[in-house]
């Protein structure tokens, strides 16, 4: 199901992003993605994120219906996201979302949109009511609002943004 959701999202994204000349490919976070992360995303400056994606993927490996996506443009790994669905029909949570820390990469400015599109496709397949972005960085809230997310004002810890799907 994850691969079907990525194929669906990729086709929708290609219609939008490829129109401006940027090739895009979505994949699972497999060994090729983890190797690209190790080679292309080092060293990290003192910016937010900087997760060990190998450890994050390992931590969720027993969650059979986990969400994961690697965002590529040609050979460049531009973004990674991982999360898991709620037990009921409530939501799909994107727990971590990170873009390539390079000053510029082909999908700069599009990573959140691409990860969210993949999450929407997967959430719909799982019949979830919404997508949630957990622990959003304050600096990213404007981007998330532009994508249609609302901030839950009464959210318990951790805070989150949500988008009905």
């Amino acid at each position: 199901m994850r691969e079907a959701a990525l194929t669906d999202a990729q086709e929708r994204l290609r219609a939008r992003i490829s129109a401006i000349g940027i090739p895009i490919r979505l994949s699972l976070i497999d060994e090729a993605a983890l190797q690209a992360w190790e080679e292309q995303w080092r060293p990290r400056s003192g910016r937010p994120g900087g997760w060990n994606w190998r450890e994050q993927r390992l931590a969720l490996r027993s969650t059979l219906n986990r969400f994961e996506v690697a965002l590529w443009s040609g050979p460049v790994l531009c973004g990674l996201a991982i999360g898991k669905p709620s037990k009921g029909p409530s939501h799909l949570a994107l727990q971590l979302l990170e873009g390539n820390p390079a000053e510029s990469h082909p999908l700069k400015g599009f990573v959140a949109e691409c990860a969210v599109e993949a999450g929407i496709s997967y959430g719909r397949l799982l019949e979830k009511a919404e997508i949630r972005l957990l622990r959003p960085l304050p600096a990213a809230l404007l981007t998330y609002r532009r994508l249609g997310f609302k901030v839950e004002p009464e959210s318990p810890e951790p805070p989150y943004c949500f988008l009905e799907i």
Side-chain angles (χ1 to χ4, degrees):
M1 273 179 52
R2 281 191 297 269
E3 289 179 356
L6 295 181
T7 299
D8 177 58
Q10 181 173 283
E11 292 308 311
R12 286 197 313 276
L13 287 164
R14 279 186 178 161
R16 291 196 310 259
I17 295 173
S18 294
I20 57 175
I22 302 171
I24 184 169
R25 180 174 61 86
L26 307 183
S27 75
L28 298 175
I29 301 176
D30 57 11
E31 187 57 31
L34 293 171
Q35 285 182 345
W37 163 74
E38 289 171 340
E39 294 167 7
Q40 297 175 21
W41 291 25
R42 307 256 184 201
R44 292 191 178 33
S45 58
R47 62 191 269 298
W51 296 287
N52 181 324
W53 284 93
R54 199 171 281 283
E55 287 178 4
Q56 296 300 327
R57 172 97 180 14
L58 188 63
L60 283 179
R61 78 170 185 265
S62 64
T63 304
L64 297 178
N65 58 354
R66 71 185 170 275
F67 169 77
E68 60 181 76
V69 64
L71 309 166
W72 301 85
S73 186
V76 179
L77 178 64
C78 298
L80 293 166
I82 197 164
K84 64 182 184 178
S86 62
K87 291 187 183 199
S90 172
H91 66 276
L92 173 66
L94 276 63
Q95 297 170 306
L96 301 175
L97 167 60
E98 185 174 16
N100 185 321
E103 286 294 319
S104 72
H105 59 79
L107 292 175
K108 190 80 167 183
F110 294 102
V111 170
E113 179 180 349
C114 294
V116 166
E117 194 68 45
I120 289 170
S121 290
Y122 192 52
R124 285 180 177 154
L125 281 175
L126 296 177
E127 299 180 346
K128 300 299 179 183
E130 64 186 34
I131 299 292
R132 292 185 182 177
L133 301 171
L134 302 185
R135 297 177 194 87
L137 295 174
L141 289 176
L142 184 60
T143 298
Y144 298 148
R145 284 187 174 116
R146 182 180 54 80
L147 294 173
F149 282 85
K150 295 176 185 163
V151 178
E152 177 55 57
E154 305 290 325
S155 76
E157 289 296 320
Y160 66 91
C161 297
F162 68 96
L163 174 70
E164 293 179 14
I165 53 173

